[in-house]
Amino acid sequence: MKRINIDEKWTFQRGYLDNLGALEATPGVIVDLPHDSMVGTPVDAAAPANYDWGYFRGDYGCYTKYIEIPEEWKDESIGLRFDGAMMNTRVDINGYKVTDHHYGYSPFYVDISRFVTFGEKNRVTVSFDTGKESSCRWYPGAGIYRSVELCHGPSVHIANDGIYLVTKEISDGIACLEAQVEIVNETRENRLVEVTLELYPENAPSTCVKKVTRVLQVNPGTSEVARQAFVLEQPMLWDAEHPKLYRVKVNATDKGEYRTHLIPVDGTTDEAEVLFGVRSISVDSVRGLRVNGQTVKLRGGCVHHDNGLIGAASLYACEERRVKKLKEIGFNAIRTAHNPPSEALIEACDRLGMYIMDEAFDAWGMSKRIGDFSNYFEYEWEQVLTDYIRRDRSHPSVILWSTGNEIPERGGLGNGYTIATKLAEKIRSLDPTRPICNGICSYWSGLDDYLAKGMDYTQNAVEDPYSNNWEKRSEPFTNGLDVVGYNYLEEHYENDHSLYPERVMVGSETFPQEIGFRWPMVEKLPYVIGDFTWTCWDYLGEAGIGKALYLNPDDPKIKEGPWGVMPPSTTNFPWRLANDADYDITGRLLPQGEYRSVVWGSEKTFVYSKHPDCFGKVELMSMWGFPYLQKSWNYAGNEGKPVEVTVFSSAEEVELLVNGTSVGRRPVNFERPTKLGDPMPYSVSFDVEYMSGVVEAVSYTNGLEVSRAILVTTKEPSRLSLAPERVTAVADGHDVIYVGIDVLDEDGLTVPDAELDIHAEVSGAGYLAGFGSGNPITEDNYSDGVTRTYRGHAMVMIRTGYHDGNITLKVCGGNDGELTEVLNIASLIPEHK
């Protein structure tokens, strides 16, 4: 079917509006989709979901658009294709409720053929309700936060997401492929349909490298699958390092009615296309994960669905940027925690080369939050799986399915053992080519009262890896899994291999500060196929799960351990962000990410300091925390006081110089820490007296310099710098330009402790979509054009409209606006328009 994007100009209104009169009487605002209606609302210390949602409140409202359905479509099939709407969605056509859809993360298709009036404009109203109580454990966003398309095609047409391609074998310079195309017949007669499939290299869109045809009969009111096996010679192979794609174009032509013979007609032709990559996947406990016959270790990160300053709205430009940045420091895989991703993210991974663990659910029938999908799971899980797997199964970036995360039924309660198998078998019926996983954690929950007695109830509590209790309780749950996900259970790997030598394992979630001693284990063990850190990109909600406090040695909180700094005890309003990531919400690389890049082989040197106030204190980190390190040497008023300087390096030793004078050369630590306060692997620390100037760290191996890094004392803020990541944009309503804002001194150096109130205005052919910083504790409204720099930085996100022209950004700061910068960007109409 032809797909027409209809994201432009919807009317958004808050409240429950159940008839045309209420809609017309209630003021609305014009918005372009994707749109998150929650992110621009005020935060509230009394919000029921509190730190789960970063103190945002739940919301309900609706989107309305009048769509003209041409008279010539009268005999066609017409539908609306939603990539995702948050949540408890209702779709009305001309006042008639056509469908409900409860799950906020899965795509769904609505056939509206019987409800529209042809030759006229038809009202489409989409209502949503996120609930006042918490419906998930992180920030969900609200509204139509992914794209919507209007679909139409003849009565005999290709089903929505009806194209499925499979790589059966790759050898001797050929790829054996199979295509499956589902054809729907909505006529009253048997029809013969000719299905033609053509392959075009994405980088040579006019060159057809393969064409195959199949004819099949489709009876009235049914669908059938056209199957065609074929060989592609000298195929371009897809993997994360070489993401070579084909565009697959399919035509389905109605050849006529079949009675006892074909009665030919000059029939209609439907068309559809998908991206596809030729690649093979296999897993086993001896060779691990193999892509195209080559062993791959997944250098992975978990990502939630939001895009920071614009909330949950998913735009290709944002997803593409995120994937690019993750690849820059060595990531080759993401886990879409804990829900199906947007189509935009999958396409970005296809094009740029990023493996995906594509996850379905955070909860099944037993709830984690009062308003979560457990309320509908029993009746709707099968449709959810079907819809999103059909959408994703031809995409080469998707290499693993996951049926869930830390499911409460993992101990067998709620019929969990059989549900686990049932979900896996359903996925295999839709796609038998990919391994199936589930992220299983320790039994801090999920047991009946009898077994739970004496257990540690703190989240992801450690279990004795040699008691085999976890193994006995989880083994029936793993039936049907090809890969068993271990959430924070790395200590079980080797013992479990002795118990289950054929089991393939993956670190489906791991603590970020442990990568230095966990990654060598992953590389060593062939049956462990990778590691997914929690998390690679900061996000809204689960506020403050990553933090480090510096306490006096006699502070009683130290005895509480890492859980003593976890929510809710130290995450009071206005904490907003999880603060547990390699990148902040604006895409700025953090020390955690720089550390990971060193562990994964970077030869760069990274140097940081801790504030003098931290010296001599005990560092107490949450399990998802990271040391509070700063790229700063601005500590005026602390001259002569001791300061700890930390260096990350993969070299043998590091020399530290302060104002040109060496304070020593020390070996880099590569040992696993055994107690609180021990250094991390790939690090070395120095204690020095603070004096303004320059701190320089130089890494050496075999006595030769490898790399160096510096910290410099800066002067007072002198001006603002606007650094656009691109200077042209596409006027398609979906492009986003990121403009980094840095506070500079008179020498052009970023002032790392600058906190200035700044104001942004956007005019012309675009608008301000988001404005803020990576500050995890803030009351900022990211949409109002006002923020405060954090560690000398802020970010503007400019979204294009649908008309070309210039975009002007003006940013002002200082007491009287004396720090003002202006930037011009060209927004161009895309060629296909």
Side-chain angles (χ1 to χ4, degrees):
M1 299 178 77
K2 292 182 179 178
R3 291 160 49 176
I4 304 166
N5 185 279
I6 56 170
D7 286 345
E8 185 179 7
K9 291 184 179 178
W10 289 67
T11 299
F12 170 69
Q13 296 159 292
R14 297 192 187 277
Y16 180 69
L17 308 174
D18 61 348
N19 58 67
L20 182 60
L23 287 166
E24 291 178 342
T26 304
V29 294
I30 303 300
V31 300
D32 293 332
L33 308 181
H35 174 256
D36 178 359
S37 69
M38 184 182 290
V39 73
T41 60
V43 289
D44 183 355
N50 51 67
Y51 58 84
D52 272 354
W53 290 8
Y55 294 95
F56 286 92
R57 281 187 171 273
D59 198 7
Y60 57 93
C62 65
Y63 296 80
T64 297
K65 184 180 179 73
Y66 285 86
I67 302 172
E68 184 163 355
I69 305 298
E71 184 72 33
E72 53 266 32
W73 293 7
K74 194 166 187 177
D75 295 324
E76 294 194 350
S77 179
I78 303 164
L80 292 172
R81 187 176 191 270
F82 293 85
D83 197 41
M86 187 64 66
M87 56 179 290
N88 299 319
T89 305
R90 187 186 79 211
V91 180
D92 292 358
I93 304 295
N94 296 325
Y96 183 88
K97 186 179 88 167
V98 177
T99 193
D100 288 318
H101 185 80
H102 294 106
Y103 196 37
Y105 297 103
S106 62
F108 62 102
Y109 181 84
V110 186
D111 188 336
I112 62 173
S113 307
R114 296 184 296 115
F115 308 103
V116 296
T117 303
F118 295 93
E120 297 183 13
K121 289 189 175 181
N122 293 259
R123 175 169 65 87
V124 179
T125 296
V126 181
S127 305
F128 68 91
D129 181 4
T130 60
K132 295 301 181 184
E133 300 298 328
S134 182
S135 57
C136 65
R137 299 181 297 114
W138 55 87
Y139 174 87
I144 311 178
Y145 70 106
R146 296 177 182 172
S147 282
V148 182
E149 292 170 310
L150 175 66
C151 305
H152 73 99
S155 296
V156 176
H157 59 266
I158 301 164
N160 178 56
D161 293 322
I163 304 173
Y164 175 40
L165 279 90
V166 175
T167 303
K168 309 288 282 187
E169 181 187 353
I170 303 170
S171 63
D172 302 323
I174 66 170
C176 297
L177 307 178
E178 180 179 284
Q180 300 177 22
V181 181
E182 183 181 358
I183 305 298
V184 178
N185 177 8
E186 294 180 350
T187 73
R188 296 181 179 181
E189 303 86 28
N190 299 333
R191 314 300 289 192
L192 288 189
V193 184
E194 182 181 80
V195 178
T196 302
L197 180 145
E198 298 174 332
L199 263 68
Y200 296 83
E202 181 71 358
N203 60 1
S206 61
T207 303
C208 179
V209 296
K210 193 70 179 185
K211 180 177 180 179
V212 292
T213 299
R214 171 71 74 196
V215 176
L216 76 162
Q217 176 177 319
V218 188
N219 291 343
T222 67
S223 67
E224 296 288 346
V225 174
R227 298 176 184 271
Q228 178 68 63
F230 60 97
V231 170
L232 183 63
E233 297 182 0
Q234 300 304 317
M236 303 185 304
L237 302 186
W238 187 99
D239 61 28
E241 285 69 45
H242 312 92
K244 297 176 180 179
L245 292 168
Y246 291 93
R247 183 164 294 278
V248 180
K249 298 182 180 181
V250 178
N251 290 328
T253 301
D254 181 1
K255 304 300 288 185
E257 181 182 359
Y258 185 83
R259 290 179 178 267
T260 57
H261 63 275
L262 174 64
I263 302 173
V265 297
D266 186 11
T268 59
T269 297
D270 190 27
E271 58 188 41
E273 60 181 51
V274 294
L275 284 178
F276 174 68
V278 178
R279 60 104 183 89
S280 63
I281 304 171
S282 65
V283 290
D284 62 63
S285 61
V286 175
R287 298 170 298 180
L289 169 67
R290 297 204 303 164
V291 178
N292 300 331
Q294 302 298 312
T295 297
V296 172
K297 291 289 186 178
L298 298 177
R299 300 187 300 275
C302 299
V303 291
H304 270 315
H305 69 298
D306 76 73
N307 273 301
L309 303 178
I310 60 170
S314 179
L315 294 153
Y316 180 83
C318 302
E319 308 296 4
E320 178 189 51
R321 176 179 183 264
R322 172 156 48 185
V323 173
K324 282 181 178 179
K325 285 187 170 290
L326 291 174
K327 285 180 69 75
E328 285 173 2
I329 63 169
F331 283 97
N332 68 359
I334 59 172
R335 176 188 179 206
T336 64
H338 302 291
N339 46 260
S342 68
E343 194 166 34
L345 176 57
I346 294 176
E347 184 176 338
C349 292
D350 283 348
R351 293 185 181 281
L352 298 174
M354 180 72 75
Y355 301 119
I356 299 176
M357 181 193 294
D358 199 341
E359 194 150 74
F361 304 111
D362 190 50
W364 294 351
M366 296 175 64
S367 67
K368 292 183 179 179
R369 293 295 184 268
I370 192 169
D372 65 21
F373 187 62
S374 65
N375 294 292
Y376 307 101
F377 177 83
E378 181 180 359
Y379 307 103
E380 299 182 9
W381 68 265
E382 191 167 9
Q383 189 63 53
V384 166
L385 282 184
T386 300
D387 289 343
Y388 102 86
I389 288 174
R390 280 173 59 93
R391 183 197 65 179
D392 297 352
R393 62 186 179 174
S394 285
H395 289 276
S397 57
V398 178
I399 63 165
L400 279 167
W401 302 115
S402 171
T403 57
N405 170 71
E406 299 183 357
I407 298 299
E409 292 93 328
R410 66 192 179 278
L413 298 181
N415 213 23
Y417 293 153
T418 58
I419 293 174
T421 301
K422 189 183 298 185
L423 266 63
E425 290 308 311
K426 179 61 182 180
I427 291 175
R428 283 193 184 90
S429 73
L430 296 164
D431 174 40
T433 70
R434 293 173 175 84
I436 300 169
C437 183
N438 186 292
I440 310 173
C441 60
S442 62
Y443 285 96
W444 51 273
S445 67
L447 299 175
D448 69 5
D449 292 352
Y450 176 80
L451 292 176
K453 288 180 181 178
M455 295 292 291
D456 186 343
Y457 304 129
T458 54
Q459 186 173 350
N460 297 109
V462 175
E463 291 198 19
D464 181 358
Y466 300 103
S467 70
N468 295 338
N469 287 330
W470 181 85
E471 287 71 15
K472 293 173 184 175
R473 292 162 182 163
S474 64
E475 186 176 5
F477 190 78
T478 67
N479 183 47
L481 300 183
D482 304 293
V483 177
V484 178
Y486 283 61
N487 281 20
Y488 313 105
L489 293 168
E490 299 97 314
E491 294 298 317
H492 292 244
Y493 287 163
E494 294 184 86
N495 180 61
D496 284 12
H497 180 62
S498 67
L499 296 172
Y500 315 107
E502 302 305 320
R503 177 177 289 184
V504 180
M505 310 174 196
V506 66
S508 39
E509 279 184 38
T510 59
F511 296 126
Q513 72 271 22
E514 295 184 355
I515 188 65
F517 61 88
R518 298 298 188 190
W519 185 250
M521 182 191 309
V522 173
E523 290 188 308
K524 181 183 74 171
L525 304 177
Y527 49 86
V528 178
I529 65 172
D531 176 285
F532 289 83
T533 186
W534 193 271
T535 178
C536 57
W537 199 279
D538 207 3
Y539 56 96
L540 308 174
E542 282 194 306
I545 68 167
K547 65 168 75 76
L549 300 181
Y550 293 83
L551 307 172
N552 292 322
D554 58 352
D555 194 309
K557 186 169 280 293
I558 295 172
K559 295 181 180 179
E560 298 177 30
W563 196 258
V565 295
M566 283 287 290
S569 62
T570 59
T571 307
N572 301 317
F573 180 81
W575 262 96
R576 177 173 296 180
L577 308 181
N579 195 45
D580 62 354
D582 290 25
Y583 285 90
D584 74 13
I585 63 167
T586 72
R588 188 170 295 280
L589 185 61
L590 299 173
Q592 178 175 307
E594 292 173 331
Y595 178 65
R596 188 179 312 280
S597 72
V598 169
V599 174
W600 282 344
S602 172
E603 294 185 344
K604 291 182 179 179
T605 298
F606 298 98
V607 60
Y608 318 89
S609 66
K610 293 181 181 177
H611 195 281
D613 291 347
C614 298
F615 193 85
K617 295 187 176 181
V618 175
E619 179 182 77
L620 185 61
M621 274 193 302
S622 67
M623 294 88 75
W624 292 273
F626 200 78
Y628 188 74
L629 303 173
Q630 301 182 75
K631 286 189 175 180
S632 177
W633 199 240
N634 285 11
Y635 300 121
N638 289 280
E639 288 75 10
K641 292 183 179 180
V643 177
E644 181 180 343
V645 175
T646 296
V647 180
F648 295 151
S649 175
S650 61
E652 293 175 351
E653 55 185 0
V654 171
E655 182 179 22
L656 193 75
L657 301 94
V658 178
N659 293 336
T661 301
S662 176
V663 297
R665 184 183 291 199
R666 293 184 178 176
V668 175
N669 173 66
F670 293 101
E671 299 301 315
R672 175 176 178 169
T674 58
K675 64 181 184 303
L676 191 67
D678 280 356
M680 300 164 66
Y682 298 89
S683 76
V684 59
S685 293
F686 299 83
D687 296 340
V688 301
E689 288 188 358
Y690 176 70
M691 62 181 73
S692 63
V694 178
V695 174
E696 192 163 17
V698 186
S699 295
Y700 296 92
T701 295
N702 294 325
L704 300 176
E705 180 179 331
V706 176
S707 59
R708 62 177 63 203
I710 65 171
L711 300 175
V712 180
T713 304
T714 67
K715 298 174 183 177
E716 292 299 310
S718 174
R719 64 184 180 89
L720 300 176
S721 169
L722 306 185
E725 295 182 5
R726 286 185 285 130
V727 294
T728 59
V730 179
D732 62 357
H734 295 80
D735 204 1
V736 177
I737 300 293
Y738 288 80
V739 182
I741 302 172
D742 297 325
V743 182
L744 306 183
D745 68 5
E746 63 184 40
D747 297 324
L749 299 175
T750 300
V751 182
D753 56 346
E755 295 189 359
L756 300 181
D757 293 324
I758 55 176
H759 174 79
E761 296 177 1
V762 176
S763 58
Y767 58 93
L768 189 145
F771 183 44
S773 73
N775 189 351
I777 308 172
T778 181
E779 293 184 61
D780 272 6
N781 182 325
Y782 295 141
S783 62
D784 68 0
V786 177
T787 193
R788 187 174 181 82
T789 62
Y790 178 65
R791 297 185 178 179
H793 306 292
M795 181 68 70
V796 175
M797 296 174 66
I798 301 172
R799 184 168 170 180
T800 61
Y802 286 86
H803 303 284
D804 63 352
N806 289 325
I807 300 171
T808 300
L809 167 65
K810 180 180 180 181
V811 180
C812 303
N815 295 330
D816 299 311
E818 67 271 14
L819 305 180
T820 298
E821 293 291 329
V822 177
L823 175 71
N824 289 305
I825 296 168
S827 182
L828 309 173
I829 293 291
E831 290 182 5
H832 68 266
K833 287 194 174 182

